[in-house]
Amino acid sequence: RTFHGNTRLLTSQIISHYVSINQCKKELPEYFNFASDVLDEWARLEKDGKRAAIPAFWWVNEEGEEVKWSFQELGSLSRKAANVLAEACGLQRGDRVVAVLPRVPEWWLLNVACIRSGIVFIPGTSQLTAKDISYRLQASKAKCIITSDSLAPAVESVLPDSQFLKSKLLVGQGSRAGWLNLKELL
């Protein structure tokens, strides 16, 4: 079957694939990373013309503003974001990041970047209170917090109690003292 001109797996094909893995007819990879094993492969197929260039990511806000990324663009941007997390924020595989963000494109970009680099992404809704944020930072021992310029004041109110926090990353146009800006670093 096709959907927008692309061949898609039917549910029966997907179930068949998993059944064959369970019956040891297909080998499971020792290590699996969704970003590099799936997204990068689809980007390669897209680049080679073996996969239609459809959006891997398509975001539209209430004002009608759109962001569309192909698989190649999502792969490239997520590698850059992973480098920001590793180099500018000093994070390593296994470190934890708390993201208190509305669902802006950067939320998904950072999620993929964390998957790519083995960093644990801990999402938090923009409706969290200062007490909620403080609890999540302490319980997770997060080394980085990511938020928007509009939510930063609530986050900053609990930062003195965050003994594990090493870096603060801001998503948006604004700037704040002591914060790194994702857009500038990308």
Side-chain angles (χ1 to χ4, degrees):
R1 286 194 181 156
T2 61
F3 178 70
H4 294 294
N6 294 305
T7 305
R8 310 271 295 189
L9 289 174
L10 297 173
T11 304
S12 61
Q13 291 171 310
I14 294 169
I15 291 169
S16 168
H17 179 76
Y18 288 110
V19 167
S20 63
I21 289 173
N22 286 336
Q23 294 174 354
C24 299
K25 293 179 183 174
K26 289 192 182 197
E27 190 174 324
L28 286 174
E30 184 176 353
Y31 300 102
F32 176 79
N33 184 297
F34 179 78
S36 57
D37 293 333
V38 176
L39 293 180
D40 289 351
E41 177 62 17
W42 287 355
R44 187 188 62 74
L45 292 172
E46 186 179 87
K47 184 179 180 184
D48 294 345
K50 296 178 182 175
R51 178 179 177 80
I54 60 169
F57 177 82
W58 191 348
W59 176 87
V60 182
N61 69 7
E62 293 175 355
E63 290 80 37
E65 179 186 357
E66 287 186 357
V67 173
K68 283 185 189 180
W69 294 324
S70 67
F71 285 97
Q72 290 181 66
E73 291 168 325
L74 181 58
S76 174
L77 286 169
S78 67
R79 280 187 288 280
K80 288 178 182 180
N83 286 337
V84 167
L85 294 172
E87 295 168 13
C89 298
L91 301 174
Q92 300 175 5
R93 175 181 288 292
D95 286 343
R96 294 165 197 90
V97 171
V98 173
V100 182
L101 286 170
R103 294 307 179 258
V104 293
E106 292 83 0
W107 188 92
W108 282 275
L109 177 61
L110 289 162
N111 200 331
V112 174
C114 285
I115 291 170
R116 182 176 295 284
S117 56
I119 296 169
V120 180
F121 184 80
I122 304 169
T125 174
S126 56
Q127 297 174 335
L128 293 175
T129 65
K131 183 179 177 182
D132 297 329
I133 296 167
S134 178
Y135 172 76
R136 282 163 175 77
L137 287 171
Q138 295 309 323
S140 69
K141 299 179 182 173
K143 291 187 178 179
C144 178
I145 186 149
I146 305 169
T147 194
S148 65
D149 39 8
S150 62
L151 298 171
V155 170
E156 283 181 331
S157 70
V158 301
L159 294 184
D161 300 330
S162 304
Q163 61 200 33
F164 303 102
L165 207 59
K166 303 286 186 239
S167 57
K168 303 173 287 187
L169 191 60
L170 196 63
V171 171
Q173 302 297 334
S175 63
R176 296 182 83 78
W179 288 76
L180 301 169
N181 185 292
L182 178 64
K183 189 167 269 194
E184 291 172 8
L185 293 168
L186 285 177

